């Protein structure tokens, strides 16, 4: 099984859609009251997540590791895009609260 296959379905879908231009399918992955914390900056609620998403550059993702624990799932990636320092290895996406229908908490940090 590859690292990508080890991730729960909603998380696999997140990475499939995150590397594409904005789409309602991407935003539909999040609960209305979801929180995304990107390097200590908190984006609370779907409207704040929309604004955050539109402000970050599009990147492609290579999932290098998936760890599913009792407190959530941590996905380690290498991201490549139009930004200084690309590619960047070791970025961690910590999905702390999610189910098959929605992501409620995502923390992104090196």
């Amino acid at each position: 099984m590859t690292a990508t296959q080890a991730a729960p379905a909603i998380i696999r879908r997140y990475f499939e859609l995150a590397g594409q231009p904005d789409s309602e399918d991407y935003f539909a992955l999040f609960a209305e009251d979801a929180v995304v914390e990107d390097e200590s900056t908190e984006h609370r609620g779907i409207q704040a997540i929309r604004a955050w998403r539109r402000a970050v550059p599009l990147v492609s993702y290579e999932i290098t590791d998936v760890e599913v624990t009792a407190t959530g799932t941590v996905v380690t990636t290498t991201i490549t895009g139009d930004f200084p320092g690309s590619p960047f290895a070791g970025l961690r996406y910590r999905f702390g609260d999610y189910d098959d229908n929605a992501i409620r908490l995502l923390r992104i940090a090196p």
Side-chain angles (χ1 to χ4, degrees):
M1 178 182 305
T2 67
T4 302
Q5 292 169 327
I10 196 163
I11 294 173
R12 288 194 312 268
R13 187 78 174 134
Y14 173 89
F15 286 102
E16 289 168 10
L17 295 169
Q20 300 174 16
D22 287 348
S23 76
E24 285 309 307
D25 290 341
Y26 174 81
F27 295 117
L29 295 172
F30 293 93
E32 283 293 319
D33 60 347
V35 175
V36 173
E37 187 178 292
D38 187 6
E39 297 193 31
S40 300
T41 301
E42 187 176 282
H43 311 279
R44 185 173 293 277
I46 196 66
Q47 294 308 322
I49 292 169
R50 283 177 190 274
W52 159 76
R53 166 74 173 160
R54 292 185 175 120
V56 297
L58 284 179
V59 298
S60 61
Y61 299 88
E62 177 190 350
I63 295 174
T64 56
D65 188 53
V66 175
E67 181 183 3
V68 179
T69 69
T71 59
T73 298
V74 178
V75 178
T76 305
T77 66
T78 296
I79 61 171
T80 304
D82 187 16
F83 62 90
S86 177
F88 180 80
L91 193 60
R92 290 187 174 82
Y93 291 74
R94 300 174 192 280
F95 296 84
D97 185 6
Y98 65 90
D99 57 29
D100 292 341
N101 300 311
I103 297 166
R104 289 184 253 333
L105 177 60
L106 169 57
R107 291 186 174 107
I108 306 168

